[in-house]
Amino acid sequence: GEPTTYRNFDEIIAAVADLTARRELTNVKLVLITNASMFHRAAVERGLEILTANNGEIWAKLEAGTEEYFKQVDRTKIPFQRILDNITAAALRRPLVIQSLFLKINGQPPGAEEIDAFCDRLSEITSSGGQIKLVQVYTLARPPAERYVTALSNADVDAIADKIRTRVGLEAESFYGVGSLA
């Protein structure tokens, strides 16, 4: 589940940071992989500060450029704008890694308009002063529960990463799925 939903998230992060310090593992990077839905909570912000102060890195998921596509792929009642606002607020305080899963739905990859909108969201974050260290573009790594969802080809993943680099000017890395095509 989503780690930031724990009420005592800040205490958990503090305990992990304390353990790594006591074990003299200060060179070990702590990574939080999150959907960014709870960054607006005070305990989560405190935890993010502790994480950042202790060689931590935040990998926030952003997998859409529009509300409609967000609802389709994330299937959540959480408003897309909350995710965008939370990522922006966190990126104003520290560099983030953005993780972005893209896939085919009923055999169709996300359209050019959706990828352009995704790039617009990244640009909005950075133009407001947010720091994005890297965008990880990936596709399905294992068979999903829904048969109508499949992995992008390697070329499709690379095209999205290239668009992020050229249109937004951010570093982007490609990660391919199991069974994706070259």
Side-chain angles (χ1 to χ4, degrees):
E2 172 56 32
T4 61
T5 59
Y6 288 98
R7 286 188 203 118
N8 61 337
F9 177 77
D10 54 341
E11 296 169 15
I12 294 168
I13 297 299
V16 172
D18 181 59
L19 178 63
T20 58
R22 281 188 288 119
R23 302 280 180 153
E24 298 181 3
L25 300 171
T26 54
N27 60 337
V28 172
K29 184 187 295 186
L30 305 175
V31 176
L32 170 67
I33 301 173
T34 175
N35 66 16
S37 63
M38 300 297 153
F39 283 5
H40 59 284
R41 291 183 175 174
V44 173
E45 179 51 41
R46 287 190 302 270
L48 298 180
E49 290 296 331
I50 295 165
L51 184 71
T52 301
N54 287 278
N55 197 30
E57 191 167 80
I58 299 160
W59 292 10
K61 294 188 175 289
L62 180 62
E63 299 164 337
T66 63
E67 177 84 26
E68 178 183 22
Y69 192 75
F70 174 75
K71 286 179 181 178
Q72 185 178 21
V73 298
D74 280 30
R75 299 192 305 189
T76 180
K77 292 181 182 180
I78 297 168
F80 184 47
Q81 192 60 51
R82 178 187 294 167
I83 302 301
L84 293 171
D85 291 346
N86 284 351
I87 289 174
T88 301
L92 289 171
R93 294 183 180 98
R94 68 198 57 81
L96 301 182
V97 172
I98 300 295
Q99 277 199 321
S100 303
L101 169 68
F102 291 101
L103 41 82
K104 290 181 184 176
I105 299 173
N106 295 319
Q108 296 300 311
E113 304 83 18
E114 183 60 35
I115 300 304
D116 286 341
F118 176 77
C119 288
D120 290 343
R121 302 300 78 81
L122 295 173
S123 292
E124 289 164 2
I125 293 166
T126 58
S127 65
S128 69
Q131 306 163 75
I132 297 176
K133 177 180 179 179
L134 172 67
V135 180
Q136 297 174 337
V137 179
Y138 66 106
T139 193
L140 298 173
R142 61 186 177 275
E146 293 83 1
R147 292 182 182 201
Y148 63 88
V149 176
T150 55
L152 292 180
S153 70
N154 295 356
D156 287 339
V157 172
D158 286 339
I160 295 169
D162 288 342
K163 186 162 241 186
I164 293 165
R165 284 186 211 101
T166 57
R167 191 161 181 263
V168 187
L170 292 172
E171 184 177 342
E173 292 182 348
S174 297
F175 297 90
Y176 310 114
V178 174
S180 25
L181 306 170

